Amino acid sequence: MKRSHHDVWSNCLQIIKDIIPAVSFKTWFEPITPLKLENNVLTIQVPSPFFYEYLEEQYIDILRKTLRREIGSEAKLEYNVVMENSTFSNGKPYTVKYPSRNKAELSNKPVQVPLEVTQSSIKNPFIIPGIKKVHFDPRLNPDYNFNNFIEGECNRLARSAGLAIGESPGKTAFNPLMVYGDPGLGKTHLAQAIGILVKEKHPDKVVLYVNANKFQTQFVESIRNNNRNDFLHFYQMIDLLILDDVQEFAGKEKTQDTFFHIFNHLHQSGKQLILTCDRPPVELQGMEQRLLSRFKWGLLADLQRPDYETRLAILKNKAYNDGIDLPSDVFEYLAENVSNNVRELEAVLISLYAQSTLNRKEITLELAREIIDKLVSSSKKEITIDYIQKVVCDYYKIPLELMQGKTRKREIVQARQVSMFFSKSLTKSSLANIGANIGGKDHATVLHACKTVNNLIETDKHFRNQISELEKKLKV
Ligand code: ADP
Ligand code: MG
């Protein structure tokens, strides 16, 4: 039998009423109206953004627990926030949707670090050698969770390995999990999401996220302060160690050496390691071989650039989390035009919000176009062989079909050679590929074209000017 949102909410209120002080209940819970219950998502309306912030800060735990009791473990909460004095609504209140951030408890239990206090290093006679209890923060950012990590072809393997690790850290074949890929593709987000999942499923596990640079600094300090052993012990009691941006270790032999020992200790004790890197391990320079070989013990999983559908889903999810609704043509335009990485996609979205509030303009396709023109510099637009041919044809005012055909007329041959020359210097295509795309020639023809153009650049001033004009046009 389907239960109504009214029933569910009034049951929740009964429970909450018993737990929190009457005044708080009156202030924060009575003004809430339940709106709907769909797919285990309960939507409640709150009177202002401040209300939403406050509930999320103070009462999210109680709300989560009672909702789960009422609806089951899949329960989710969503807010409709009434906005007042809005810039777009002529003063009439309107509502904005927010998902509950549903922050998990992300602290570590206190852990015991044996302190190896040798006679010579006792500076304070009241320090008793033995055990020290320390609290430390796992340094997980609750926003970098799996709910917010959109699945796509580009991250399928890494993501599912991460989910498996979340279930049983240290017990899967993915140890270490090495996630690699270009900047801005989600390595840090994914690695953190695994940490958060482990904390959710196994609250007793000690989790630590650390950036390789930070690790290096801590290590150097531990040497300076003469407590390298404490440093080692500290790292050896961790159940899940996430080391981000391991490429930063390049050339730092002592740090690599220390990490090697920590790695071995953790791995042998069945503890989980997650590493990220901005390139595949084989391309890492300045890294000890024995460490590189460890990186390959578990699973190497790469993150690729997201495809259009994934970019669209990421944008929609981000806007939803920010409580902002955009027209679908704007979403589509952004997803089509920002394709390099996810960080850039988010940056464009944020400046769209900013422009819209600063100038009190509604977010429209027009505004999105302006922002993309300003932000996404065309140097990032990939220069392709097709694009080069088009620009060269425009410049010499010859039709594209002629350039791609077999004609041996002098000016056409020259334009063709110029296209080949630029394709060689501005794209990563092979000679054979360039030839195949420009008039169906072989790689020797392309090589010859490049030589001819280079010779002419050296000997013919007029031609040299043409080439530099064309180069400017191509790089605009
Ligand atoms: P990296 O560490 O690879 O440089 P980050 O993890 O910092 O990249 O990701 C950059 C931004 O893109 C972050 O704000 C992150 O939340 C977002 N992001 C990356 N991949 C995804 C994804 N699949 N779904 C949602 N957001 C993503
Ligand atoms: Mg990162």
Side-chain angles (χ1 to χ4, degrees):
M1 194 189 66
K2 257 188 102 176
R3 296 168 62 205
S4 82
H5 49 283
H6 291 290
D7 295 346
V8 167
W9 185 241
S10 86
N11 287 350
C12 289
L13 287 184
Q14 291 302 329
I15 305 172
I16 295 172
K17 203 172 186 170
D18 286 339
I19 306 176
I20 69 171
V23 180
S24 309
F25 185 80
K26 253 190 153 19
T27 316
W28 300 109
F29 287 88
E30 282 188 356
I32 296 175
T33 325
L35 293 178
K36 60 177 182 197
L37 175 64
E38 261 173 30
N39 305 324
N40 297 319
V41 183
L42 177 74
T43 308
I44 58 177
Q45 175 156 314
V46 298
S48 72
F50 177 64
F51 236 84
Y52 155 76
E53 293 289 337
Y54 197 85
L55 287 168
E56 281 282 293
E57 279 306 318
Q58 301 294 321
Y59 296 115
I60 192 60
D61 278 343
I62 300 181
L63 276 166
R64 182 170 47 216
K65 278 186 196 133
T66 48
L67 268 183
R68 285 196 180 152
R69 238 168 88 168
E70 286 300 309
I71 316 178
S73 62
E74 296 294 296
K76 290 214 174 72
L77 184 64
E78 191 172 289
Y79 300 83
N80 254 22
V81 183
V82 178
M83 309 295 278
E84 277 157 304
N85 305 326
S86 97
T87 42
F88 310 137
S89 63
N90 313 325
K92 279 195 217 119
Y94 71 108
T95 63
V96 169
K97 268 204 236 170
Y98 281 96
S100 165
R101 288 197 291 263
N102 213 349
K103 286 195 175 143
E105 179 60 60
L106 293 176
S107 57
N108 281 319
K109 63 178 195 249
V111 283
Q112 305 198 321
V113 196
L115 278 185
E116 286 192 358
V117 186
T118 56
Q119 225 31 47
S120 62
S121 69
I122 297 183
K123 293 173 193 91
N124 179 341
F126 298 106
I127 290 184
I128 304 156
I131 301 273
K132 181 170 130 190
K133 273 210 167 184
V134 289
H135 276 276
F136 69 90
D137 183 347
R139 298 208 197 89
L140 296 170
N141 173 349
D143 293 332
Y144 282 166
N145 55 41
F146 268 109
N147 272 342
N148 284 340
F149 190 76
I150 304 297
E151 178 177 6
E153 211 43 67
C154 54
N155 59 36
R156 182 126 22 237
L157 175 66
R159 183 179 169 278
S160 44
L163 288 172
I165 292 172
E167 291 297 328
S168 20
K171 299 209 175 64
T172 66
F174 318 135
N175 200 14
L177 171 65
M178 162 64 96
V179 179
Y180 66 91
D182 286 342
L185 293 182
K187 299 182 294 294
T188 301
H189 186 144
L190 178 64
Q192 289 244 343
I194 304 171
I196 291 173
L197 190 61
V198 167
K199 283 259 73 151
E200 271 172 18
K201 304 253 169 186
H202 312 269
D204 283 346
K205 298 257 183 226
V206 179
V207 175
L208 183 71
Y209 165 89
V210 65
N211 176 277
N213 265 331
K214 171 117 188 165
F215 180 94
Q216 141 96 7
T217 318
Q218 287 175 343
F219 170 65
V220 171
E221 270 170 21
S222 82
I223 296 201
R224 190 178 326 125
N225 301 332
N226 213 2
N227 54 9
R228 178 167 178 270
N229 277 339
D230 290 350
F231 175 84
L232 281 175
H233 285 312
F234 173 79
Y235 273 95
Q236 286 173 352
M237 11 145 279
I238 289 164
D239 297 309
L240 164 59
L241 177 60
I242 303 168
L243 184 76
D244 203 1
D245 290 322
V246 68
Q247 74 277 357
E248 306 279 351
F249 279 175
K252 295 166 183 161
E253 281 165 31
K254 293 237 169 57
T255 311
Q256 288 179 33
D257 199 44
T258 302
F259 182 68
F260 179 75
H261 289 293
I262 293 172
F263 183 105
N264 285 341
H265 180 96
L266 293 179
H267 198 272
Q268 276 160 21
S269 334
K271 307 297 179 59
Q272 179 73 44
L273 292 120
I274 297 173
L275 308 159
T276 80
C277 188
D278 70 356
R279 66 203 78 176
V282 285
E283 287 172 21
L284 272 177
Q285 305 280 320
M287 208 62 117
E288 275 184 60
Q289 206 48 47
R290 55 179 191 167
L291 200 51
L292 283 180
S293 82
R294 293 293 189 281
F295 293 167
K296 295 180 226 155
W297 273 2
L299 178 72
L300 289 176
D302 67 334
L303 295 181
Q304 303 269 352
R305 286 187 192 184
D307 58 17
Y308 171 78
E309 296 301 327
T310 314
R311 297 200 293 272
L312 194 61
I314 290 175
L315 279 171
K316 288 186 173 169
N317 178 62
K318 173 98 178 105
Y320 174 65
N321 282 333
D322 296 336
I324 304 226
D325 208 8
L326 299 183
S328 55
D329 55 352
V330 172
F331 278 129
E332 283 155 18
Y333 183 78
L334 296 183
E336 259 162 39
N337 287 283
V338 188
S339 58
N340 275 332
N341 68 54
V342 185
R343 191 170 291 136
E344 192 169 282
L345 204 58
E346 292 187 343
V348 170
L349 196 60
I350 289 166
S351 66
L352 200 56
Y353 302 160
Q355 284 298 322
S356 132
T357 31
L358 280 178
N359 304 327
R360 312 204 156 195
K361 282 190 199 166
E362 236 174 291
I363 298 181
T364 57
L365 190 56
E366 209 48 49
L367 186 64
R369 284 216 174 95
E370 277 172 34
I371 297 219
I372 297 260
D373 281 349
K374 255 189 256 157
L375 285 188
V376 183
S377 74
S378 43
S379 66
K380 283 185 190 153
K381 278 182 207 148
E382 206 182 333
I383 299 183
T384 61
I385 301 177
D386 285 348
Y387 176 69
I388 291 170
Q389 294 187 76
K390 196 179 154 297
V391 173
V392 172
C393 285
D394 277 356
Y395 183 81
Y396 288 115
K397 302 197 173 52
I398 57 172
L400 187 63
E401 303 83 68
L402 277 185
M403 153 113 71
Q404 290 177 335
K406 305 274 171 224
T407 318
R408 311 206 42 169
K409 270 175 83 179
R410 207 181 148 268
E411 69 264 30
I412 307 282
V413 171
Q414 189 163 78
R416 203 180 280 141
Q417 289 179 329
V418 168
S419 292
M420 290 176 174
F421 166 81
F422 278 118
S423 299
K424 175 76 179 65
S425 57
L426 301 180
T427 77
K428 287 183 183 142
S429 297
S430 66
L431 293 174
N433 189 34
I434 294 171
N437 280 287
I438 308 179
K441 308 290 191 215
D442 63 9
H443 82 280
T445 311
V446 181
L447 202 58
H448 175 71
C450 294
K451 278 190 194 143
T452 311
V453 171
N454 275 321
N455 282 339
L456 277 174
I457 289 174
E458 276 172 26
T459 53
D460 182 338
K461 194 164 165 220
H462 178 62
F463 183 77
R464 180 157 66 236
N465 287 339
Q466 287 181 358
I467 293 292
S468 70
E469 271 179 38
L470 263 169
E471 187 166 357
K472 275 193 209 116
K473 282 191 199 300
L474 284 166
K475 288 186 171 169
V476 172

